[in-house]
Amino acid sequence: MKFSKIKIKNYKGIEETELELYNSPKGNVYTLVGINESGKTSILEAINSFEYNAEKGSSAVSNAIKPDFNQIIPIKDKANFNGNIELITTLAFDEQDYKELCSWTKENCNFIIENEIKEVTVNQRYLYKNSRFEDSSNSWGLHIQGKEVGSRAKRIIDIPESDWQKCVNHLKEKMPNILYFPTALFDLPDKIYLNLPKEKENQKILFYKAVIQDILDSLEQDMNLQTHIVDRFLSQDQNDKENVKQLALKMGRKVTSIILDEWTKVLTKKNYNITIDIDTDEQGVYLQFIIIDDDGNFKLSERSLGFRWFFVFLLLTQFRGYRKSENKQVLFLFDEPASNLSQKAQEQLLKSLDRIGKKCTILYTTHSQYLINPKWLENAFIVTNDALLNAEEFSDLKCTNIKVQRYRKFVDEHPQEVSYFQPILDVLEYAPSDLDTCKSGIILEGKYDYYTLNYLFSIILNKEDIRLIPGMSCSNADTLISLYTGWGKDFSVFLDSDDGGRTSKKRYQEIFGNIVKDRIFSYQDIDNNWTKKNMESIISNSDKLKIQQSVFPDMKKYSKKSYNKAIQELYMNSEKVALSKETLDNVEKVYEFMKKLYT
């Protein structure tokens, strides 16, 4: 099961808003974009308050920060709130989820499911009276019909209530885990205490103890913190002391192999080694990470901010999959990841998120243009706050209303923008500094050309050395041409060879004259036989249908809209489709031509 829709009502500054996650094109990485104070963190906190996370309330708490239910009431109603805060989540079933539920129900409820189940909805409510939290409740939108095993009756009936409740309890165990990582969590303590009295353990200590247990689980020898580390370390038996030393050595090697394998892809090729020290002081037994490089041995706190952040990020994400009995989906929530690090570090983080996102779902917030991957834009959300839109009324708490909007809808509402990327830069209030340089590139007609060519070049041909810039249409590149000319940057414009493309090319030549001489091209410039070619027509009809059916297998006829969505989804998820030689030859032709323009 995956979260497909999350609706939030009356949470802090959110009156009502909704995130559609598992919607076409389906991806695994979602970006919440907005300036500071726009309300991005409130959205993550609201999702984190969902109580059916199986790990919440356990001794190994996944979420380091639990919500204080008396601090999340609507801002505008703080004086006297009498109502409900609601989090309505919809979970999508895939074919395997449905088959598993059918099998489980047949075995445990003696009931054969006959109706198709594609999703389940859970409405979590928090009830308030006089601005004080009173109680919580929930309701499940799950309709199951069928008949008893062995019954010859043809009539389909609703599952008995007692069995329905069994199914709900079963699904609770299968629901995705929500793992929220606020910025404060990345301040890893030098000493992680393993045997503090319960009254001295806070959520952060419990969280990191669970991470250490994940490292133990990765060794696959059925070990736990108390028995194999704490008890051994405190033992007077010399064999126990030797065994815990060997275990610490083994854990250090495991952390080194897993984290540093990813580290070299992210930041540096420098050789590091990680050891784990286990010792005790007046507070208790603790575990400590020691970083060894060519300059000596260092505590984590003695390394740079960037090193510390990425170390903790990799520690949290790389070992999570080893948790015992973990066979469910995970939703990672990252609040402003790496926001205080360098541009290069932020750009490398995107690559790491891309790799991690193949195994889980990620929702992260940012106000940095460097933490926005263009291929995820269709799954990005713009976060706005009415209080910031009406800054002069900011002191009026009734103005606060946080909303999210899918980026593609946001773009539709801003047709005057110069490129498909411009609206998101406007949201971030981005303005280049005197030190910024603009990269050269090839201006395309629109976003569909951008996604298709990027998919064909980077995923199919495995070539990522051409920068493509999506315009808003073939006739709307004027401002982009002016900007690139003013910046003194090299550019080309690539249009379709149809009537619209030829008309636009003539108009640009009349407006800009010699500025665009030898800069505007079309498919006919690649091959004289491509007089009517456009982006879509360089791909054979059979391949277009194949691409479409790889995402929409039930569609037997070609649909341009579904085909474009399929391309976007395949590109987001880096999924390759085997294409015919005819199509590959055409794509190679286009690539070689554009490569010459770009260089």
Side-chain angles (χ1 to χ4, degrees):
M1 290 187 290
K2 283 188 174 182
F3 287 107
S4 62
K5 192 181 298 182
I6 301 173
K7 180 180 286 187
I8 306 164
K9 292 184 178 182
N10 295 327
Y11 186 97
K12 289 187 176 181
I14 305 169
E15 290 184 11
E16 181 174 337
T17 197
E18 182 176 276
L19 291 87
E20 287 191 75
L21 300 180
Y22 203 57
N23 194 11
S24 181
K26 297 175 183 177
N28 288 322
V29 184
Y30 300 86
T31 315
L32 289 175
V33 184
I35 60 174
N36 284 330
E37 305 299 330
S38 59
K40 304 184 298 295
T41 299
S42 292
I43 294 169
L44 296 190
E45 289 175 347
I47 297 172
N48 181 54
S49 70
F50 188 53
E51 288 193 331
Y52 282 104
N53 179 359
E55 296 183 4
K56 288 189 177 181
S58 68
S59 58
V61 180
S62 289
N63 296 342
I65 297 179
K66 285 185 175 181
D68 181 342
F69 294 118
N70 286 314
Q71 298 296 319
I72 64 174
I73 61 177
I75 294 175
K76 64 184 180 65
D77 294 327
K78 274 191 172 183
N80 190 26
F81 179 55
N82 295 281
N84 294 333
I85 295 174
E86 294 185 62
L87 186 70
I88 305 167
T89 57
T90 303
L91 292 112
F93 278 64
D94 60 22
E95 186 177 351
Q96 185 59 37
D97 294 325
Y98 176 69
K99 288 181 178 179
E100 193 278 334
L101 179 62
C102 289
S103 177
W104 186 91
T105 305
K106 182 177 180 181
E107 181 177 344
N108 294 275
C109 300
N110 201 38
F111 192 87
I112 299 174
I113 298 177
E114 296 286 348
N115 64 312
E116 186 177 13
I117 300 173
K118 292 187 176 181
E119 62 182 31
V120 58
T121 301
V122 185
N123 188 345
Q124 183 72 44
R125 301 182 188 89
Y126 303 104
L127 175 65
Y128 290 79
K129 185 176 181 181
N130 299 325
S131 296
R132 298 295 297 176
F133 173 65
E134 292 276 309
D135 199 4
S136 64
S137 64
N138 66 82
S139 59
W140 284 65
L142 175 64
H143 189 204
I144 303 178
Q145 289 185 311
K147 56 187 179 180
E148 292 182 355
V149 175
S151 173
R152 296 184 179 181
K154 294 183 179 180
R155 188 168 67 94
I156 304 298
I157 62 171
D158 290 342
I159 193 170
E161 185 174 351
S162 59
D163 287 336
W164 179 87
Q165 189 60 56
K166 287 182 183 178
C167 289
V168 167
N169 292 337
H170 172 68
L171 290 177
K172 287 180 184 179
E173 298 299 319
K174 298 293 182 180
M175 291 181 73
N177 281 332
I178 300 172
L179 303 181
Y180 176 39
F181 299 120
T183 303
L185 193 60
F186 285 84
D187 184 19
L188 177 69
D190 278 334
K191 296 179 179 180
I192 302 173
Y193 288 95
L194 306 180
N195 67 334
L196 289 176
K198 286 190 176 181
E199 61 272 15
K200 291 187 178 182
E201 288 187 324
N202 56 35
Q203 297 302 315
K204 192 170 184 178
I205 291 173
L206 290 172
F207 176 86
Y208 278 113
K209 284 176 65 175
V211 172
I212 302 304
Q213 182 62 55
D214 288 342
I215 298 173
L216 282 178
D217 289 343
S218 74
L219 301 177
E220 299 181 342
Q221 290 185 301
D222 196 24
M223 293 182 287
N224 63 74
L225 286 177
Q226 185 63 41
T227 302
H228 296 89
I229 295 182
V230 175
D231 291 348
R232 282 177 172 178
F233 186 84
L234 296 176
S235 171
Q236 299 303 312
D237 189 302
Q238 190 59 35
N239 287 330
D240 284 340
K241 293 186 179 296
E242 288 297 324
N243 289 338
V244 79
K245 285 181 181 179
Q246 288 299 315
L247 178 56
L249 181 63
K250 199 170 186 177
M251 291 171 69
R253 287 173 177 169
K254 189 71 174 184
V255 173
T256 298
S257 66
I258 289 183
I259 288 188
L260 294 190
D261 177 62
E262 184 70 16
W263 183 270
T264 56
K265 301 172 187 174
V266 174
L267 281 182
T268 179
K269 295 293 184 181
K270 187 174 182 179
N271 290 325
Y272 289 99
N273 194 30
I274 300 168
T275 63
I276 290 178
D277 284 351
I278 299 172
D279 208 338
T280 186
D281 60 17
E282 64 279 2
Q283 294 191 61
V285 178
Y286 64 83
L287 181 146
Q288 188 173 40
F289 292 99
I290 301 296
I291 313 299
I292 304 174
D293 64 15
D294 297 336
D295 299 322
N297 297 359
F298 299 88
K299 297 177 184 177
L300 192 60
S301 61
E302 295 172 327
R303 305 305 300 178
S304 68
L305 180 62
F307 186 104
R308 297 200 309 269
W309 195 94
F310 267 108
F311 179 87
V312 175
F313 171 76
L314 295 173
L315 186 68
L316 298 180
T317 55
Q318 298 302 308
F319 283 93
R320 187 59 183 78
Y322 289 104
R323 188 157 297 185
K324 286 185 177 181
S325 304
E326 186 65 272
N327 58 354
K328 61 183 73 175
Q329 289 288 331
V330 175
L331 171 61
F332 284 109
L333 305 178
F334 292 108
D335 193 11
E336 299 283 1
S339 60
N340 56 354
L341 302 186
S342 69
Q343 172 187 341
K344 179 184 177 183
Q346 293 183 36
E347 291 173 344
Q348 293 299 327
L349 172 63
L350 285 181
K351 297 178 181 179
S352 188
L353 290 175
D354 198 7
R355 287 188 288 271
I356 297 168
K358 298 185 190 314
K359 301 180 288 185
C360 61
T361 303
I362 296 172
L363 178 62
Y364 73 98
T365 68
T366 188
H367 65 271
S368 168
Q369 69 271 23
Y370 304 118
L371 279 173
I372 298 172
N373 189 330
K375 78 175 183 178
W376 299 333
L377 270 184
E378 289 291 284
N379 278 343
F381 295 90
I382 302 300
V383 183
T384 57
N385 187 340
D386 287 351
L388 299 182
L389 297 176
N390 301 286
E392 70 279 2
E393 302 176 12
F394 188 73
S395 60
D396 183 358
L397 296 180
K398 291 184 179 179
C399 284
T400 301
N401 186 18
I402 300 164
K403 302 173 184 175
V404 294
Q405 187 178 32
R406 198 84 178 226
Y407 182 65
R408 63 181 178 220
K409 184 176 181 182
F410 187 82
V411 172
D412 290 341
E413 295 178 1
H414 296 75
Q416 74 283 2
E417 300 291 4
V418 300
S419 79
Y420 184 62
F421 295 158
Q422 188 60 45
I424 207 160
L425 295 175
D426 291 344
V427 169
L428 296 173
E429 299 181 349
Y430 169 76
S433 73
D434 293 339
L435 298 177
D436 282 342
T437 58
C438 176
K439 296 178 181 178
S440 302
I442 299 174
I443 300 169
L444 305 175
E445 289 193 3
K447 70 173 184 179
Y448 293 125
D449 287 358
Y450 170 82
Y451 282 116
T452 302
L453 284 176
N454 267 309
Y455 175 70
L456 295 173
F457 291 170
S458 64
I459 307 302
I460 299 299
L461 299 185
N462 197 29
K463 297 176 180 178
E464 298 181 332
D465 50 356
I466 298 177
R467 182 170 184 264
L468 303 173
I469 306 156
M472 295 297 279
S473 71
C474 69
S475 61
N476 196 24
D478 308 60
T479 307
L480 278 173
I481 293 172
S482 298
L483 286 172
Y484 271 76
T485 301
W487 287 331
K489 293 297 176 182
D490 192 20
F491 70 91
S492 299
V493 180
F494 196 86
L495 305 170
D496 291 341
S497 296
D498 56 14
D499 292 339
R502 287 194 295 271
T503 300
S504 295
K505 179 177 181 178
K506 184 177 179 181
R507 188 173 70 82
Y508 295 142
Q509 289 171 335
E510 291 173 351
I511 294 173
F512 295 101
N514 286 334
I515 291 175
V516 296
K517 184 181 179 182
D518 299 325
R519 288 182 184 268
I520 303 180
F521 304 93
S522 68
Y523 288 96
Q524 191 171 355
D525 294 303
I526 299 176
D527 189 321
N528 285 329
N529 295 319
W530 288 3
T531 55
K532 295 289 185 180
K533 286 281 186 182
N534 57 22
M535 180 67 262
E536 187 182 344
S537 62
I538 69 167
I539 301 172
S540 71
N541 291 333
S542 60
D543 282 338
K544 281 186 287 192
L545 184 60
K546 187 176 185 180
I547 287 170
Q548 177 182 303
Q549 290 179 333
S550 68
V551 175
F552 305 103
D554 296 332
M555 297 188 69
K556 305 303 179 187
K557 293 184 178 180
Y558 171 75
S559 160
K560 185 174 181 179
K561 181 178 180 181
S562 298
Y563 164 78
N564 282 324
K565 285 185 176 181
I567 281 278
Q568 288 173 283
E569 189 167 320
L570 292 169
Y571 177 49
M572 285 179 191
N573 299 313
S574 301
E575 295 179 9
K576 200 167 188 175
V577 174
L579 302 179
S580 65
K581 185 178 185 302
E582 174 192 352
T583 296
L584 290 176
D585 287 345
N586 288 344
V587 172
E588 192 71 46
K589 263 188 183 180
V590 175
Y591 170 80
E592 292 298 335
F593 182 85
M594 288 189 171
K595 181 64 177 174
K596 291 177 182 177
L597 297 181
Y598 194 71
T599 54

